[in-house]
């Protein structure tokens, strides 16, 4: 039930700032309360980003987040009550997760070489693959979620992205609806996902390489394992070597257990997310460390990816993989035009966090391989 509009400042909830107190940054001439939001109509006394940056801390400490919008030709400062917790059942998240379970089961069945003709129940036999892929993605996103809640930042639960590709998914994302209070919070939230995802990657890979290989010889060329070959990064290779297990077999009908693919997903997702561009995790971490200097530094990312694409094409002769890196170069260039999260407090992070950043970037190197996947045909 919405509250009737009011044009008198006296109608504001007592915890909200008085319009007069905002006059140096935003000169208010009217106030309205509607649908739970407070709308301050007025004239900004600075650039839009500067207005929000200056006023957001004042509203945040009172339990609100703000944005500056333009409605019917007027500038309006919209204050919405913050709610860091989850209210009700997030049906969209649940629905997307269930669809992603289905698409990863289907992809897993193709990796195992299961025949689905006349036996749809074979999908259920691919549950180890689906569980491994979804686990590394979920742990990564819940790493972000947990540290967001710790710092009182309002975020959504993960949205999984189902798609009928070789993995059954394009990953998962969370939606940030709030201002980041400080560089420290920005760093913690940004680095938590990759570190949590790396931990899950190590566990899933160790389990996967310890499981027996799978025979896909009877799949008659329909198995994804007979159409694609994965390139494993040093992290995955190191775990297999440490445990004395194999990733490749001389018998072409044998492949490493598809659970290992969950580890491959974790490594690949970690590498891509740690690219310091746009709103990726690497950009959050680097912005927390060097502030606005990131705007210049991130321009090197698409250049580096284009160089990688050229190397893969010319030296390795892998045209499809070169196209993959070229696509990511264009995507990274697009991301540079998207404003990243700007912390309200620009106090530099402490030496301990800087050390964690160095360690995280070192681990990121172990998740990289120039040729992550190759199409081998039938």
């Amino acid at each position: 039930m919405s509250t009737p509009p009011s044009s008198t400042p006296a109608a504001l909830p007592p915890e909200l700032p008085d319009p007069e107190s905002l006059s140096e940054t935003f000169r208010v001439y009217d106030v309205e309360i509607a649908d739970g939001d407070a709308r301050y109509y007025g004239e900004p006394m600075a650039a839009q980003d500067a207005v929000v940056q200056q006023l957001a801390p004042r509203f945040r400490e009172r339990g609100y987040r703000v944005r500056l919008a333009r409605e019917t030709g007027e500038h309006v400062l919209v204050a919405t009550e913050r709610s860091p917790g989850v209210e009700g059942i997030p049906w969209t998240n649940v629905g997307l997760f269930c669809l992603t379970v289905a698409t990863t089961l289907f992809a897993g069945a193709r990796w195992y070489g299961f025949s689905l003709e006349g036996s749809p129940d074979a999908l259920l036999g691919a549950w180890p693959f689906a569980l491994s892929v979804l686990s590394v993605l979920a742990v990564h996103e819940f790493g972000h979620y947990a540290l967001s809640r710790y710092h009182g930042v309002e975020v959504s639960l993960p949205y999984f992205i189902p798609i009928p590709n070789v993995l059954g998914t394009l990953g998962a994302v969370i939606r940030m609806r709030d201002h980041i209070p400080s560089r420290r919070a920005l760093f913690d939230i940004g680095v938590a996902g990759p570190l949590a995802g790396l931990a899950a990657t190590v566990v899933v890979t160790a389990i996967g390489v310890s499981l027996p290989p799978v025979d896909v010889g009877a799949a008659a060329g329909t198995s994804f394992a007979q159409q694609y070959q994965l390139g494993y990064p040093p992290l995955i290779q190191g775990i297999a070597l440490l445990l004395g297990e194999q990733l490749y077999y001389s018998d072409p009908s044998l492949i490493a257990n598809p659970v290992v693919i969950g580890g491959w997903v974790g490594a690949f997702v970690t590498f891509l997310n740690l690219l310091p561009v746009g709103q990726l995790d690497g950009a959050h971490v680097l912005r927390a460390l060097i502030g606005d200097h990131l705007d210049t530094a991130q321009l090197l990312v698409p250049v580096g990816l284009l160089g990688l694409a050229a190397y893969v094409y010319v030296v390795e002769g892998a045209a499809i993989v070169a196209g993959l890196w070229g696509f990511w170069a264009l995507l990274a260039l697009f991301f540079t035009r998207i404003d990243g999260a700007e912390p309200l407090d620009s106090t530099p992070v402490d030496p301990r966090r800087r050390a964690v950043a160095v360690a995280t970037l070192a681990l990121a190197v172990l998740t990289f391989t120039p040729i992550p996947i190759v199409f081998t045909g039938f």
Side-chain angles (χ1 to χ4, degrees), residues 24-375:
E24 289 187 5
T25 307
F26 190 79
R27 190 167 295 167
V28 180
Y29 56 72
D30 197 6
V31 176
E32 178 182 281
I33 305 294
D35 299 324
D37 292 343
R39 283 176 160 78
Y40 296 77
Y41 293 90
E43 290 297 329
M45 308 307 291
Q48 179 171 325
D49 291 345
V51 169
V52 174
Q53 196 75 5
Q54 291 176 40
L55 295 182
R58 192 180 306 180
F59 280 87
R60 180 182 171 82
E61 66 187 16
R62 290 168 169 78
Y64 287 80
R65 65 178 187 274
V66 293
R67 59 184 176 87
L68 186 57
R70 195 165 179 83
E71 299 177 359
T72 62
E74 297 179 282
H75 289 99
V76 54
L77 193 68
V78 184
T80 304
E81 191 169 5
R82 298 176 63 253
S83 178
V86 178
E87 297 180 359
I89 300 175
W91 289 113
T92 301
N93 304 75
V94 173
L96 287 173
F97 176 75
C98 291
L99 285 174
T100 309
V101 169
T103 53
T104 50
L105 281 173
F106 181 80
R110 294 289 303 276
W111 279 104
Y112 281 101
F114 296 154
S115 174
L116 302 179
E117 294 182 8
S119 180
D121 292 346
L123 278 177
L124 300 180
W127 69 264
F129 171 90
L131 180 62
S132 65
V133 171
L134 294 176
S135 292
V136 294
L137 295 176
V139 169
H140 180 111
E141 296 303 329
F142 274 105
H144 291 310
Y145 183 82
L147 267 294
S148 296
R149 291 292 301 272
Y150 174 79
H151 286 286
V153 174
E154 186 176 354
V155 293
S156 70
L157 288 168
Y159 293 94
F160 285 83
I161 307 172
I163 189 170
N165 62 2
V166 296
L167 300 176
T169 179
L170 282 181
V173 296
I174 61 173
R175 181 185 172 197
M176 194 169 293
R177 308 188 182 102
D178 208 351
H179 299 289
I180 307 295
S182 64
R183 280 194 183 184
R184 181 169 59 89
L186 179 62
F187 178 87
D188 291 352
I189 294 169
V191 83
L195 289 181
L198 277 172
T201 296
V202 171
V203 172
V204 166
T205 301
I207 293 173
V209 297
S210 300
L211 292 173
V214 172
D215 188 344
V216 295
T222 62
S223 166
F224 281 150
Q226 296 165 319
Q227 302 171 36
Y228 300 93
Q229 182 173 319
L230 298 181
Y232 295 105
L235 178 66
I236 306 296
Q237 295 183 40
I239 294 171
L241 183 63
L242 187 65
L243 296 178
E245 303 290 352
Q246 293 178 257
L247 290 171
Y248 302 103
Y249 294 86
S250 57
D251 183 346
S253 65
L254 293 180
I255 64 166
N257 195 287
V259 169
V260 177
I261 299 170
W264 179 90
V265 169
F268 192 56
V269 166
T270 297
F271 172 75
L272 292 179
N273 270 282
L274 282 175
L275 293 175
V277 62
Q279 295 191 16
L280 296 180
D281 299 339
H284 293 334
V285 171
L286 198 57
R287 185 176 294 278
L289 295 175
I290 65 176
D292 291 339
H293 294 298
L294 171 68
D295 297 336
T296 301
Q298 67 179 346
L299 295 175
L300 298 174
V301 176
V303 175
L305 290 173
L306 281 175
L308 177 60
Y311 165 80
V312 168
Y313 181 75
V314 174
V315 178
E316 303 292 343
I320 294 178
V321 179
L324 171 68
W325 291 125
F327 169 76
W328 268 95
L330 293 176
L331 204 59
L333 186 62
F334 170 75
F335 285 162
T336 62
R337 304 181 65 84
I338 300 176
D339 293 332
E342 187 70 35
L344 301 177
D345 180 3
S346 60
T347 303
V349 299
D350 54 89
R352 181 169 58 90
R353 284 181 170 82
R354 291 181 179 275
V356 170
V358 171
T360 303
L361 293 176
L363 288 171
V365 173
L366 297 179
T367 65
F368 169 71
T369 179
I371 305 181
I373 188 169
V374 174
F375 178 72

